Amino acid sequence: MAGNRMKLELSRVLQGGSRLGVLKGLGRTGQHALDVPGCLLYTHFGTVPHLTQDTLHSLSNLPSVTQVTLSNIAEHQEVMEEFKDGFVKFSGLHDTVLYCSLHDPATQCPTGYTTNKTVSVWGSGGRIELTVDKFMALQKAVKPDWYQSMADGETWQSNTSRKRVRKSVDRTLAHLDECLLVHQKSQELEGVEVFGVVEGGDILEERLRSARETAKRPVAGFCLDGLQMGAIEQNLRTQLITAVTKELPEDKPRLLQGVGRPDEVLACVEAGVDLFESFFPFQVTERGCALVFSFDISPDPERAGRAPPKVLELDEERNSMEDKQQNGDLNLDDQTQMTSFEINLNDKRYHDDFRPLVEGCGCYCCKNHQRAYLHHLLVTNELLAGVLLMIHNTAHYHGFFGALRNALAIDEMDLLKRRVLRERKDLDG
């Protein structure tokens, strides 16, 4: 395998574990870079849901890395092999780095279909079983710039036995070794990077073993799997990630799979995570909601180019949600449930609300439309609702990551956390 071009250059490492820097040398020619902490561009078969490429690129500061998943691509393997020129050209993507992961982070996969020799992905036509040979043939057809190695990630349930978790780690390491062997002999994958997968469920010893063994292999970075939203309690997730990242080399990126909620992102960044999958705006859009949480930490919001969102009027909706959580009426394991970082535009309270989704937001939706119009589009099942919500939610989420990097640079993480979590105190005091 050719020498890795991907290089993580860290400008700051805070005492708690947060890392600020740039991931350089991305792509076959190494011309792309990605700021960290950062996120990838989530897509369905190369397309951000609801948005055309032209609409998408009306947004600024998009990530340079596009994520596609084998769960979307595997059933089209024969077409991709016949096309021969790779997925970027096949799907008409703009200049971007392509990362290929195994599963769609916005969709929970059925369990119980992994064997010593195969893993399964789930496409529109049902289950597709992948051996290492089929998995690597798909990578040759897709021609990504980097990809996640094959892994057994079916240990995220809290009742998974220690024996099953140990088997998951063993299988994942065996898959990685087989993938690397095929990769090293493949001319089609020359210059392509491989990310090893760290498994281990909620068992610390197995997490550490997986991390140490994966770090011994010639991988460009690491995917931390089995820690997704709803699968594990946040404090335990943070403890496991903190322990695992101490076993990983500092000069290689750590990508956390399946975590996207802003409060969880902040906790995981402090534990040493560099990269996230940006599926959360899509989930928010699908339930007819808009992200409205505040992340502005500048002393002069107007000078910073955006005013902080006016969220005080949302207290009634937020408090109602919190009451449901305390009473056990809201299933936090269900990723379809609304969070406290968003407003539900389906609610009739917005039928005569003529404000933008977020005051001061510079996205197309907020500059041109009101909450009442979004409410109308949703209740009449107009496709434009998804387009406008996805524009705003994508812009707002990526803006949050920009604020996160800025907070790390100026030592204001505590202030950012108070902004995001909307604590009732003098935030600038």
Side-chain angles (χ1 to χ4, degrees), residues 299-368:
D300 184 352
E302 291 185 358
R303 188 179 64 198
R306 58 175 294 124
K310 295 182 179 179
V311 295
L312 294 180
E313 75 278 2
L314 304 176
D315 282 351
E316 180 182 345
E317 188 169 349
R318 174 181 170 86
N319 291 338
S320 174
M321 279 188 52
E322 290 175 347
D323 289 343
K324 287 182 180 179
Q325 292 177 15
Q326 292 171 3
N327 295 332
D329 297 332
L330 190 60
N331 179 11
L332 294 178
D333 288 350
D334 186 352
Q335 295 188 28
T336 64
Q337 290 284 358
M338 180 180 166
T339 70
S340 59
F341 302 99
E342 58 202 88
I343 57 173
N344 185 355
L345 274 302
N346 291 285
D347 196 303
K348 62 183 179 181
R349 77 179 70 188
Y350 297 112
H351 83 280
D352 59 352
D353 188 339
F354 302 116
R355 294 168 298 171
L357 296 175
V358 173
E359 297 283 357
C361 177
C363 81
Y364 174 87
C365 178
C366 288
K367 287 196 296 185
N368 293 278

Side-chain angles (χ1 to χ4, degrees), residues 39 42 50 260 277-287 289-291 389-390 392-398 401:
C39 59
Y42 171 78
H50 301 290
E277 302 165 309
S278 60
F279 61 94
F280 186 65
F282 167 65
Q283 291 182 324
V284 173
T285 299
E286 287 300 281
R287 47 185 173 251
C289 295
L291 292 172
L389 283 174
M390 196 66 185
H392 168 75
N393 290 335
T394 301
H396 199 76
Y397 195 69
H398 292 302
F401 272 91

